[in-house]
Amino acid sequence: MIETDPSRPLYHAMLRADPTLSRYDPLPRIITHDRFASGHCGWSQLVGNYEDDLDTMLPGYAQHGSAMLSTLPHWDAGSHGGMDSSYALKIATKPRAGARNVAIKRHTFRKRGPIRLEAYLCFKPEANELKLSETDVRSVGFLFDLQGGDSDGDVMRVMPHLRFLNALDGVHEQKWQFKRQTGALQRIGTQDKILSHDHLNPNDWQDLPGAAQKLCYNEIPTKVNWTYIRFDFDLETMQATGFQCNDRVFDVAGFDSISIPAMKNLWCMLNICFFAETDTDKRAFLYLDSLCLSGDF
């Protein structure tokens, strides 16, 4: 019988014996452990809702492209690669100030309980100038898109968002922000089946308490360093319970999520998104080396 109680030594010994898992602190049940050395692992482009015609898609989504596997190629030193393999997942924006791109992985859950998202990531602008360019990436971040089951009462669609605002209009901000409001819900098509809303529009971001943090951003535009993040959330209460980035643990008591009425075909939804935005007419890159989603159920 496999030991699953994290308070017991055998559980910890099993985690520590696997180098790809020992970098994480998962809850007892690992839902997904994505190592992009083995492929896309189910991550795809966030396509906006449409009906009959692609032009019914909201403009914010029309700019999105597919995530890709990348060796982190650099003109000056060849390929950087991931933390312990040749590949990472690359989310790249278009070269237009304010442009964004989003990758998504879609799950459902089987019980409402605590979940934990952990990942190693880094960000850089496209290295097409011989200077540091540390303010060219506007932001990188992640979100959950969640909805309870059809047997739950009082169900809402809940979307916790967190982003690292690196720069805005050329000013170095370096702080964590969350969002509790979305764009207006809009009907798509004529059959009254589909709604859409641009929840990643640039409005309504708020600073997380103690938001400021300086991340490692190396001395030339082609050097990267991997950053650890951990986000804890309770599917039962639909509340955030913790957030950590590298050595900093943040207070989430004031954190809140976007909350909108449940949608009729999204029961037990457990989706994860990562996104990047550029602050200049230069592509911004968010790289994911690997991630682990775990739960206590």
Side-chain angles (χ1 to χ4, degrees):
M1 179 177 174
I2 295 177
E3 177 60 75
T4 58
D5 184 346
S7 67
R8 298 179 183 175
L10 180 56
Y11 175 85
H12 293 287
M14 292 171 64
L15 289 179
R16 297 298 180 261
D18 183 349
T20 66
L21 276 176
S22 64
R23 67 185 62 165
Y24 294 117
D25 294 309
L27 298 177
R29 186 180 301 281
I30 295 174
I31 301 168
T32 185
H33 177 213
D34 296 344
R35 299 182 63 239
F36 298 108
S38 59
H40 282 85
C41 300
W43 286 85
S44 62
Q45 175 183 346
L46 178 59
V47 178
N49 292 341
Y50 58 86
E51 186 177 86
D52 296 327
D53 189 329
L54 290 177
D55 287 339
T56 61
M57 191 184 303
L58 297 183
Y61 294 100
Q63 65 183 308
H64 295 169
S66 295
M68 63 192 78
L69 298 179
S70 174
T71 60
L72 283 69
H74 296 150
W75 68 268
D76 57 357
S79 295
H80 184 284
M83 281 179 61
D84 60 1
S85 74
S86 296
Y87 292 98
L89 190 72
K90 177 182 179 180
I91 302 166
T93 72
K94 295 183 183 303
R96 183 184 69 252
R100 72 166 192 245
N101 199 11
V102 187
I104 185 169
K105 185 169 183 177
R106 295 181 169 92
H107 309 81
T108 54
F109 61 81
R110 58 183 177 177
K111 183 179 178 182
R112 293 181 68 167
I115 56 173
R116 171 174 291 175
L117 175 65
E118 299 175 273
Y120 282 88
L121 56 83
C122 65
F123 62 88
K124 281 283 182 172
E126 187 168 21
N128 56 12
E129 296 181 276
L130 298 179
K131 60 181 183 180
L132 188 58
S133 305
E134 74 278 15
T135 59
D136 287 352
V137 176
R138 177 168 296 174
S139 76
V140 295
F142 62 92
L143 65 101
F144 281 110
D145 193 357
L146 311 166
Q147 185 169 302
D150 63 344
S151 61
D152 294 335
D154 239 4
V155 180
M156 300 292 286
R157 184 176 177 183
V158 178
M159 307 176 73
H161 287 52
L162 264 173
R163 76 170 183 178
F164 182 73
L165 180 63
N166 179 61
L168 185 61
D169 298 329
V171 178
H172 219 181
E173 298 282 353
Q174 297 181 287
K175 60 184 180 180
W176 289 98
Q177 296 185 311
F178 67 98
K179 200 174 205 196
R180 53 164 58 101
Q181 296 184 52
T182 183
L185 289 174
Q186 300 184 44
R187 296 195 181 279
I188 301 295
T190 59
Q191 300 184 50
D192 196 25
K193 291 183 178 180
I194 301 174
L195 296 172
S196 190
H197 61 116
D198 189 1
H199 51 93
L200 279 170
N201 70 75
N203 305 318
D204 303 314
W205 289 97
Q206 298 176 245
D207 292 353
L208 196 67
Q213 185 178 20
K214 293 181 172 64
L215 299 183
C216 186
Y217 188 96
N218 223 311
E219 297 95 342
I220 61 174
T222 59
K223 291 182 179 179
V224 302
N225 290 77
W226 298 101
T227 292
Y228 170 79
I229 60 166
R230 173 184 57 80
F231 183 66
D232 290 290
F233 197 84
D234 189 345
L235 296 175
E236 180 62 35
T237 62
M238 288 295 184
Q239 297 291 323
T241 57
F243 175 57
Q244 177 179 347
C245 179
N246 285 343
D247 62 336
R248 292 278 304 281
V249 176
F250 291 85
D251 179 8
V252 294
F255 178 92
D256 202 0
S257 303
I258 294 170
S259 184
I260 59 178
M263 296 187 175
K264 58 188 177 183
N265 52 4
L266 301 179
W267 308 111
C268 292
M269 184 168 65
L270 172 53
N271 292 349
I272 317 170
C273 296
F274 279 85
F275 60 90
E277 301 175 290
T278 182
D279 202 54
T280 65
D281 293 335
K282 181 189 294 186
R283 293 192 299 167
F285 301 149
L286 169 62
Y287 297 102
L288 293 173
D289 170 79
S290 58
L291 62 89
C292 182
L293 177 66
S294 58
D296 193 7
F297 51 81

